[in-house]
Amino acid sequence: MSKSSSTSPLIGSSKKHPIYHGVRRRGRNGKWVSEIREPKSPNRIWLGTFPTPEMAAVAYDVAALALKGGAAQFNFPTSISSLPVPASAASRDIQAAAASAAAAAGAAMDALVSCHGGGVTAEPPAIDEFMDEDLIFNMPNLIIDMAEGMLLSPPRLDLITEETATDHNLWNYT
């Protein structure tokens, strides 16, 4: 199932995101915020303000993993193993790790949009969707070409004589 992009029907409201946990839109500026409640406490940890709901959702996942462990409800459950782990359970460490993960997610989405030649209106794929790197880097036959290169025989060294070796020696061009 495809995740919603930042063009959501929530524009101008301050409501929860319809898909992502711990994410809501803030006011009319179009920014997305993320926060998480500490277990068994009324306190909340502010994770930050982000330009896209996906970035806020990744920040929430980092905090949820740090505070609640594997039993937490994640936005991107298939990406949990690649998230940064906070140095401790302190609020500042969780906020730093969440900000790092959100920045990485934002950079990845920006790179995908620019590689596909899309503008701002192009919807980037969700973080846990399959990406064809061969298509992104314009190398459709990279693996096949590499395999064919390994099948070539190395040049024969016994055909090189002492006379031709001195003519083509790189050290003679100094």
Side-chain angles (χ1 to χ4, degrees), residues 70-121:
Q73 200 169 20
F74 298 109
N75 295 307
F76 304 108
T78 58
S79 301
I80 295 304
S81 62
S82 64
L83 294 177
V85 177
S88 72
S91 298
R92 287 186 180 188
D93 290 337
I94 292 172
Q95 289 169 332
S100 172
M109 286 188 288
D110 289 346
L112 283 173
V113 170
S114 66
C115 282
H116 287 296
V120 177
T121 59

Side-chain angles (χ1 to χ4, degrees), residues 7-86:
T7 57
S8 171
L10 300 175
I11 294 174
S13 67
S14 180
K15 295 184 179 180
K16 290 182 182 180
H17 193 276
I19 297 173
Y20 299 126
H21 302 283
V23 176
R24 63 182 167 84
R25 188 174 207 86
R26 177 178 238 182
R28 295 179 182 227
N29 65 359
K31 301 285 183 173
W32 294 89
V33 298
S34 182
E35 61 186 354
I36 189 168
R37 185 180 300 266
E38 292 178 355
K40 300 178 183 177
S41 170
N43 299 333
R44 293 177 182 259
I45 297 175
W46 179 258
L47 301 174
T49 303
F50 307 97
T52 66
E54 290 81 11
M55 291 172 69
V58 169
Y60 176 85
D61 283 356
V62 169
L65 183 62
L67 294 173
K68 301 175 183 177
Q73 200 169 20
F74 298 109
N75 295 307
F76 304 108
T78 58
S79 301
I80 295 304
S81 62
S82 64
L83 294 177
V85 177

